[in-house]
Amino acid sequence: MSRTVPISRQRNIGIMAHIDAGKTTTTERILFYTGVSHKIGEVHDGQAVMDWMVQEQERGITITSAATTCTWKDHRINIIDTPGHVDFTVEVERSLRVLDGAVAVFCAVAGVEPQSETVWRQADRYKVPRLAFVNKMDRTGADFFRVLEMIKERLKAKPVPLQIPIGSEENFNGIIDLIQGKALFFDDGTIVAKEYAFVDIPDEYIDEYETWRQVMLEAVAEEDEELLEKYLGGEELDPEAIINAVRLATISMKICPVLCGSAFKNKGVQPLLDSIVSYFPSPLDVTVMKGVDPQSGEEISSPCDDDLPLSALTFKLANDPYVGHLAFLRIYSGRIESGMTVINATNGKKERVGRLLRMHANKREDIKEAYAGDIVAAVGLKHASTGDTLCATDRVVMLESMDFPEPVIEVAI
Ligand code: GDP
């Protein structure tokens, strides 16, 4: 048995927002676009998106699951539900802990609101790299550039626009990609299609593009010496080199890339998915398993590697109407198999893992094995509570200390 998706092509992300900014709509649209492949040709308009979502919801998973898996361009994206609480509850902290990146959704009219500040600070505390998605660009009063300013002023982050909008409010009808130097128009063909085509930037937008491309390049080059040298030397910059510099600066939280769109109107969601894949780290880039031996108190750490003994954190328990009691796990090292015996390091009990499931928007997929870096649900664990560590019988390690919420798992970069 081996992996179907290499660890480098896996992303564990959350979507966080002030209430009403569009977290639910953005998540639903992400699930729509990632699930759309088998429906291409059938969908022509927004109504089809709605119909699809109603069907998915009737099947009972969609975004009600603590973790939903979807696929975009050969990458597995696990979307972990991040509770929208304003305070530092254990539940919020635990969900932040299992993420490697978060999309912060802002309303283009209201911008950074008090609750967005709280959630932002929580993500800072857990060193979660972020991308900002300025949503509701179609609404009256939408102002992408004002939100950029607010991210800088109120959140003390370094927002870097990777796109600028074409048109605004009800005339918001496209974006200019500042890295590729291309435009994307949201006409009928691109709004619901998985594949979409960039076109040349129309002449009337060239000046604005050049101004903002310079802003973007200067901000990125400040964080990347090689790029800075080329930029100052007036050399032609390869988009791949810029993308790589943005990725590294995002992972190390030196910048926050900013995109825009209107989830409700199906505008800008595909480029958001592309950015999730391009800029967020894989578990290999950031996660080091760090815990303690519950007997000796000795520290144990290891990289995110399939060939090491299992250690997995139970981050959420849930009752599924179809399969019963589910324990959602993030695997930090090793592999877990259905039928294997594990030790719960937190309470010392041995347990047998029953079925293992991957939760998709439209189905529960039975899997035999899951590997380091992944997020899956286990059925049939009787003694596991949230925060418990499950491990191999030959190496017992406790990932979450008793005095949680102090973080035990650290981000490497
Ligand atoms: P949440 O509270 O952050 O999960 O926000 P929702 O996704 O439930 O959205 C709140 C409201 O804003 C709903 O009525 C949505 O239909 C609406 N909404 C979400 N995204 C957009 C958008 O891009 N444009 C407009 N005009 N409305 C939106």
Side-chain angles (χ1 to χ4, degrees):
M1 200 70 68
S2 63
R3 290 178 164 274
T4 48
V5 177
I7 196 164
S8 59
R9 291 215 299 263
Q10 198 158 305
R11 304 288 178 267
N12 294 320
I13 68 153
I15 298 176
M16 52 190 229
H18 183 105
I19 191 151
D20 225 38
K23 172 179 145 173
T24 311
T25 313
T26 306
T27 312
E28 281 174 347
R29 294 310 196 264
I30 285 178
L31 295 176
F32 169 75
Y33 283 103
T34 55
V36 83
S37 59
H38 51 288
K39 296 186 176 69
I40 273 187
E42 290 171 35
V43 284
H44 300 292
D45 56 28
Q47 186 54 44
V49 183
M50 291 301 173
D51 292 348
W52 182 88
M53 283 173 354
V54 169
Q55 284 170 26
E56 302 306 293
Q57 273 161 359
E58 280 167 0
R59 292 195 192 99
I61 311 180
T62 320
I63 51 168
T64 55
S65 178
T68 309
T69 301
C70 57
T71 304
W72 182 253
K73 299 188 178 167
D74 295 329
H75 287 71
R76 175 182 291 152
I77 304 174
N78 293 318
I79 304 176
I80 295 103
D81 184 41
T82 319
H85 301 165
V86 285
D87 27 274
F88 282 76
T89 61
V90 169
E91 201 188 346
V92 174
E93 305 239 340
R94 204 168 268 135
S95 70
L96 286 171
R97 166 176 293 187
V98 299
L99 305 178
D100 299 322
V103 175
V105 179
F106 296 99
C107 167
V109 182
V112 176
E113 298 168 83
Q115 195 193 325
S116 354
E117 288 183 47
T118 317
V119 183
W120 193 269
R121 303 277 164 248
Q122 289 169 332
D124 275 345
R125 184 173 147 97
Y126 278 90
K127 302 190 178 77
V128 180
R130 263 144 286 167
L131 281 173
F133 181 63
V134 180
N135 187 37
K136 301 198 184 182
M137 285 297 300
D138 60 304
R139 281 193 50 200
T140 307
D143 187 343
F144 177 69
F145 301 104
R146 181 170 156 266
V147 182
L148 275 182
E149 274 308 305
M150 289 175 94
I151 295 173
K152 188 154 64 184
E153 296 300 318
R154 300 222 180 142
L155 302 176
K156 310 282 178 249
K158 186 175 168 189
V160 177
L162 301 187
Q163 308 167 339
I164 51 169
I166 298 176
S168 66
E169 303 179 342
E170 72 269 32
N171 295 320
F172 171 58
N173 58 18
I175 50 171
I176 292 173
D177 183 313
L178 298 174
I179 297 181
Q180 302 294 342
K182 292 278 183 186
L184 172 65
F185 284 94
F186 308 125
D187 57 25
D188 287 348
T190 55
I191 278 182
V192 291
K194 187 164 192 144
E195 298 303 329
Y196 56 96
F198 282 109
V199 294
D200 288 341
I201 300 171
D203 288 346
E204 66 267 35
Y205 288 102
I206 293 283
D207 285 350
E208 200 184 354
Y209 157 67
E210 281 176 354
T211 307
W212 282 99
R213 178 173 160 94
Q214 204 166 331
V215 169
M216 181 274 294
L217 282 177
E218 278 172 14
V220 178
E222 249 174 44
E223 311 299 342
D224 188 299
E225 263 178 47
E226 212 176 306
L227 199 71
L228 184 63
E229 230 167 83
K230 288 188 179 158
Y231 176 70
L232 294 176
E235 278 181 53
E236 187 73 28
L237 298 174
D238 172 20
E240 283 308 312
I242 306 171
I243 289 172
N244 198 42
V246 171
R247 181 180 126 77
L248 292 176
T250 306
I251 295 176
S252 53
M253 301 202 314
K254 294 198 173 100
I255 65 165
C256 171
V258 188
L259 311 169
C260 62
S262 163
F264 187 71
K265 297 278 169 81
N266 309 308
K267 294 176 173 178
V269 181
Q270 303 103 318
L272 170 63
L273 275 160
D274 287 347
S275 296
I276 288 170
V277 160
S278 298
Y279 304 122
F280 279 149
S282 81
L284 212 50
D285 298 318
V286 287
T287 317
V288 176
M289 185 284 284
K290 208 171 170 209
V292 292
D293 178 330
Q295 298 289 327
S296 64
E298 208 178 292
E299 279 201 4
I300 303 176
S301 66
S302 65
C304 185
D305 186 333
D306 298 346
D307 294 325
L308 292 168
L310 170 73
S311 62
L313 182 74
T314 314
F315 65 91
K316 173 99 185 172
L317 297 178
N319 266 315
D320 182 278
Y322 299 94
V323 286
H325 186 64
L326 289 178
F328 283 87
L329 310 172
R330 163 133 190 182
I331 305 163
Y332 282 90
S333 66
R335 56 185 76 198
I336 190 164
E337 283 169 47
S338 64
M340 90 189 270
T341 300
V342 293
I343 287 195
N344 182 326
T346 316
N347 60 25
K349 290 190 171 138
K350 271 193 188 175
E351 286 217 70
R352 196 172 161 277
V353 178
R355 288 167 70 188
L356 283 179
L357 297 177
R358 200 181 288 294
M359 309 293 274
H360 299 267
N362 57 353
K363 64 177 193 286
R364 296 158 186 80
E365 178 194 4
D366 266 283
I367 53 173
K368 287 268 164 287
E369 265 194 321
Y371 303 86
D374 212 346
I375 289 186
V376 289
V379 186
L381 293 173
K382 292 189 192 70
H383 305 292
S385 306
T386 52
D388 287 1
T389 309
L390 303 180
C391 25
T393 47
D394 57 348
R395 187 185 67 169
V396 180
V397 54
M398 206 161 71
L399 293 169
E400 191 166 280
S401 65
M402 291 301 185
D403 56 2
F404 185 75
E406 271 316 300
V408 176
I409 298 153
E410 284 191 350
V411 169
I413 291 182

mmCIF file of all heavy atoms in Angstrom, residues 17-26 105 135-139 261-265, ligand 1:
data_model
loop_
_atom_site.group_PDB
_atom_site.id
_atom_site.type_symbol
_atom_site.label_atom_id
_atom_site.label_comp_id
_atom_site.label_asym_id
_atom_site.label_seq_id
_atom_site.Cartn_x
_atom_site.Cartn_y
_atom_site.Cartn_z
ATOM 1 N N ALA A 17 -12.914 33.999 8.987
ATOM 2 C CA ALA A 17 -13.520 35.267 8.620
ATOM 3 C C ALA A 17 -14.326 35.840 9.754
ATOM 4 O O ALA A 17 -14.743 35.133 10.668
ATOM 5 C CB ALA A 17 -14.448 35.067 7.431
ATOM 6 N N HIS A 18 -14.555 37.126 9.645
ATOM 7 C CA HIS A 18 -15.545 37.788 10.469
ATOM 8 C C HIS A 18 -16.903 37.250 10.025
ATOM 9 O O HIS A 18 -17.095 36.981 8.835
ATOM 10 C CB HIS A 18 -15.472 39.293 10.183
ATOM 11 C CG HIS A 18 -16.385 40.107 11.026
ATOM 12 N ND1 HIS A 18 -15.922 40.848 12.073
ATOM 13 C CD2 HIS A 18 -17.721 40.283 10.982
ATOM 14 C CE1 HIS A 18 -16.950 41.453 12.637
ATOM 15 N NE2 HIS A 18 -18.038 41.122 11.993
ATOM 16 N N ILE A 19 -17.835 37.126 10.952
ATOM 17 C CA ILE A 19 -19.151 36.619 10.578
ATOM 18 C C ILE A 19 -19.737 37.494 9.457
ATOM 19 O O ILE A 19 -19.555 38.712 9.474
ATOM 20 C CB ILE A 19 -20.088 36.558 11.814
ATOM 21 C CG1 ILE A 19 -21.352 35.798 11.474
ATOM 22 C CG2 ILE A 19 -20.421 37.933 12.375
ATOM 23 C CD1 ILE A 19 -21.952 35.116 12.667
ATOM 24 N N ASP A 20 -20.320 36.855 8.468
ATOM 25 C CA ASP A 20 -20.966 37.538 7.347
ATOM 26 C C ASP A 20 -20.020 37.968 6.216
ATOM 27 O O ASP A 20 -20.469 38.485 5.210
ATOM 28 C CB ASP A 20 -21.740 38.776 7.844
ATOM 29 C CG ASP A 20 -23.105 38.832 7.205
ATOM 30 O OD1 ASP A 20 -23.705 37.754 7.031
ATOM 31 O OD2 ASP A 20 -23.560 39.939 6.863
ATOM 32 N N ALA A 21 -18.721 37.763 6.384
ATOM 33 C CA ALA A 21 -17.793 38.189 5.323
ATOM 34 C C ALA A 21 -17.855 37.254 4.119
ATOM 35 O O ALA A 21 -17.467 37.616 3.009
ATOM 36 C CB ALA A 21 -16.362 38.241 5.865
ATOM 37 N N GLY A 22 -18.364 36.030 4.355
ATOM 38 C CA GLY A 22 -18.524 35.116 3.222
ATOM 39 C C GLY A 22 -17.738 33.828 3.351
ATOM 40 O O GLY A 22 -17.457 33.168 2.356
ATOM 41 N N LYS A 23 -17.435 33.433 4.571
ATOM 42 C CA LYS A 23 -16.694 32.189 4.778
ATOM 43 C C LYS A 23 -17.474 30.977 4.235
ATOM 44 O O LYS A 23 -16.931 30.151 3.515
ATOM 45 C CB LYS A 23 -16.425 32.031 6.280
ATOM 46 C CG LYS A 23 -15.830 30.704 6.673
ATOM 47 C CD LYS A 23 -15.572 30.660 8.158
ATOM 48 C CE LYS A 23 -15.807 29.269 8.693
ATOM 49 N NZ LYS A 23 -15.438 29.100 10.080
ATOM 50 N N THR A 24 -18.752 30.906 4.575
ATOM 51 C CA THR A 24 -19.551 29.761 4.140
ATOM 52 C C THR A 24 -19.645 29.729 2.616
ATOM 53 O O THR A 24 -19.429 28.688 1.989
ATOM 54 C CB THR A 24 -20.983 29.853 4.727
ATOM 55 O OG1 THR A 24 -20.856 30.127 6.120
ATOM 56 C CG2 THR A 24 -21.763 28.587 4.511
ATOM 57 N N THR A 25 -19.945 30.873 2.020
ATOM 58 C CA THR A 25 -20.098 30.921 0.558
ATOM 59 C C THR A 25 -18.776 30.570 -0.117
ATOM 60 O O THR A 25 -18.748 29.803 -1.077
ATOM 61 C CB THR A 25 -20.560 32.337 0.131
ATOM 62 O OG1 THR A 25 -21.635 32.737 0.970
ATOM 63 C CG2 THR A 25 -21.013 32.360 -1.303
ATOM 64 N N THR A 26 -17.677 31.102 0.382
ATOM 65 C CA THR A 26 -16.377 30.812 -0.233
ATOM 66 C C THR A 26 -16.064 29.317 -0.127
ATOM 67 O O THR A 26 -15.622 28.695 -1.094
ATOM 68 C CB THR A 26 -15.265 31.647 0.450
ATOM 69 O OG1 THR A 26 -15.654 33.028 0.392
ATOM 70 C CG2 THR A 26 -13.926 31.482 -0.241
ATOM 71 N N VAL A 105 -10.954 35.562 4.860
ATOM 72 C CA VAL A 105 -11.931 36.189 3.963
ATOM 73 C C VAL A 105 -12.354 37.529 4.571
ATOM 74 O O VAL A 105 -12.748 37.585 5.736
ATOM 75 C CB VAL A 105 -13.180 35.281 3.782
ATOM 76 C CG1 VAL A 105 -14.207 35.944 2.869
ATOM 77 C CG2 VAL A 105 -12.778 33.918 3.231
ATOM 78 N N ASN A 135 -13.531 39.508 -0.474
ATOM 79 C CA ASN A 135 -14.773 38.992 -1.076
ATOM 80 C C ASN A 135 -15.798 40.120 -1.240
ATOM 81 O O ASN A 135 -15.583 41.234 -0.761
ATOM 82 C CB ASN A 135 -15.304 37.891 -0.137
ATOM 83 C CG ASN A 135 -16.485 37.157 -0.695
ATOM 84 O OD1 ASN A 135 -16.561 36.904 -1.906
ATOM 85 N ND2 ASN A 135 -17.435 36.800 0.158
ATOM 86 N N LYS A 136 -16.889 39.818 -1.879
ATOM 87 C CA LYS A 136 -18.009 40.761 -2.076
ATOM 88 C C LYS A 136 -17.598 41.983 -2.887
ATOM 89 O O LYS A 136 -18.054 43.101 -2.635
ATOM 90 C CB LYS A 136 -18.610 41.203 -0.725
ATOM 91 C CG LYS A 136 -19.141 40.059 0.137
ATOM 92 C CD LYS A 136 -20.091 40.560 1.203
ATOM 93 C CE LYS A 136 -20.548 39.441 2.120
ATOM 94 N NZ LYS A 136 -21.490 39.869 3.137
ATOM 95 N N MET A 137 -16.693 41.759 -3.845
ATOM 96 C CA MET A 137 -16.260 42.866 -4.700
ATOM 97 C C MET A 137 -17.400 43.410 -5.560
ATOM 98 O O MET A 137 -17.286 44.485 -6.140
ATOM 99 C CB MET A 137 -15.105 42.397 -5.609
ATOM 100 C CG MET A 137 -13.768 42.259 -4.919
ATOM 101 S SD MET A 137 -13.142 43.815 -4.268
ATOM 102 C CE MET A 137 -13.022 44.781 -5.761
ATOM 103 N N ASP A 138 -18.480 42.656 -5.656
ATOM 104 C CA ASP A 138 -19.626 43.095 -6.459
ATOM 105 C C ASP A 138 -20.530 44.060 -5.699
ATOM 106 O O ASP A 138 -21.418 44.665 -6.276
ATOM 107 C CB ASP A 138 -20.467 41.869 -6.857
ATOM 108 C CG ASP A 138 -20.994 41.121 -5.631
ATOM 109 O OD1 ASP A 138 -20.167 40.727 -4.781
ATOM 110 O OD2 ASP A 138 -22.222 40.968 -5.502
ATOM 111 N N ARG A 139 -20.295 44.212 -4.399
ATOM 112 C CA ARG A 139 -21.251 45.018 -3.611
ATOM 113 C C ARG A 139 -20.978 46.512 -3.703
ATOM 114 O O ARG A 139 -19.839 46.946 -3.875
ATOM 115 C CB ARG A 139 -21.215 44.587 -2.144
ATOM 116 C CG ARG A 139 -22.014 43.314 -1.901
ATOM 117 C CD ARG A 139 -22.225 43.081 -0.439
ATOM 118 N NE ARG A 139 -22.747 44.261 0.239
ATOM 119 C CZ ARG A 139 -22.668 44.470 1.553
ATOM 120 N NH1 ARG A 139 -22.106 43.575 2.323
ATOM 121 N NH2 ARG A 139 -23.161 45.569 2.075
ATOM 122 N N GLY A 261 -12.383 38.889 -5.185
ATOM 123 C CA GLY A 261 -13.410 38.172 -5.925
ATOM 124 C C GLY A 261 -14.775 38.374 -5.318
ATOM 125 O O GLY A 261 -14.966 39.198 -4.418
ATOM 126 N N SER A 262 -15.699 37.618 -5.839
ATOM 127 C CA SER A 262 -17.033 37.601 -5.283
ATOM 128 C C SER A 262 -17.468 36.141 -5.290
ATOM 129 O O SER A 262 -17.812 35.597 -6.338
ATOM 130 C CB SER A 262 -17.986 38.434 -6.141
ATOM 131 O OG SER A 262 -19.314 38.085 -5.810
ATOM 132 N N ALA A 263 -17.388 35.520 -4.113
ATOM 133 C CA ALA A 263 -17.700 34.096 -4.047
ATOM 134 C C ALA A 263 -19.138 33.863 -4.489
ATOM 135 O O ALA A 263 -19.434 32.955 -5.260
ATOM 136 C CB ALA A 263 -17.475 33.577 -2.632
ATOM 137 N N PHE A 264 -20.011 34.730 -4.019
ATOM 138 C CA PHE A 264 -21.433 34.555 -4.312
ATOM 139 C C PHE A 264 -21.705 34.587 -5.815
ATOM 140 O O PHE A 264 -22.530 33.840 -6.323
ATOM 141 C CB PHE A 264 -22.231 35.651 -3.600
ATOM 142 C CG PHE A 264 -23.705 35.455 -3.696
ATOM 143 C CD1 PHE A 264 -24.330 34.430 -2.993
ATOM 144 C CD2 PHE A 264 -24.482 36.282 -4.499
ATOM 145 C CE1 PHE A 264 -25.697 34.242 -3.092
ATOM 146 C CE2 PHE A 264 -25.851 36.091 -4.597
ATOM 147 C CZ PHE A 264 -26.470 35.071 -3.893
ATOM 148 N N LYS A 265 -20.988 35.467 -6.509
ATOM 149 C CA LYS A 265 -21.193 35.586 -7.962
ATOM 150 C C LYS A 265 -20.244 34.662 -8.739
ATOM 151 O O LYS A 265 -20.077 34.833 -9.945
ATOM 152 C CB LYS A 265 -20.981 37.046 -8.395
ATOM 153 C CG LYS A 265 -21.978 38.036 -7.794
ATOM 154 C CD LYS A 265 -23.276 38.033 -8.597
ATOM 155 C CE LYS A 265 -24.398 38.789 -7.913
ATOM 156 N NZ LYS A 265 -24.362 40.211 -8.073
HETATM 157 P P1 GDP B 1 -20.162 33.802 6.812
HETATM 158 O O1 GDP B 1 -20.976 34.258 7.966
HETATM 159 O O2 GDP B 1 -18.804 34.435 6.788
HETATM 160 O O3 GDP B 1 -20.108 32.324 6.646
HETATM 161 O O4 GDP B 1 -20.883 34.425 5.507
HETATM 162 P P2 GDP B 1 -21.815 33.766 4.416
HETATM 163 O O5 GDP B 1 -21.032 33.015 3.421
HETATM 164 O O6 GDP B 1 -22.956 33.072 5.075
HETATM 165 O O7 GDP B 1 -22.333 35.077 3.678
HETATM 166 C C1 GDP B 1 -23.056 36.081 4.364
HETATM 167 C C2 GDP B 1 -24.015 36.748 3.390
HETATM 168 O O8 GDP B 1 -23.270 37.432 2.381
HETATM 169 C C3 GDP B 1 -24.916 35.764 2.656
HETATM 170 O O9 GDP B 1 -26.177 36.362 2.492
HETATM 171 C C4 GDP B 1 -24.222 35.581 1.326
HETATM 172 O O10 GDP B 1 -25.122 35.234 0.294
HETATM 173 C C5 GDP B 1 -23.622 36.952 1.090
HETATM 174 N N1 GDP B 1 -22.403 36.903 0.263
HETATM 175 C C6 GDP B 1 -21.348 36.054 0.395
HETATM 176 N N2 GDP B 1 -20.419 36.310 -0.555
HETATM 177 C C7 GDP B 1 -20.907 37.337 -1.286
HETATM 178 C C8 GDP B 1 -20.402 38.054 -2.412
HETATM 179 O O11 GDP B 1 -19.334 37.792 -2.946
HETATM 180 N N3 GDP B 1 -21.189 39.061 -2.873
HETATM 181 C C9 GDP B 1 -22.392 39.382 -2.320
HETATM 182 N N4 GDP B 1 -23.061 40.396 -2.845
HETATM 183 N N5 GDP B 1 -22.886 38.730 -1.273
HETATM 184 C C10 GDP B 1 -22.171 37.711 -0.762
#
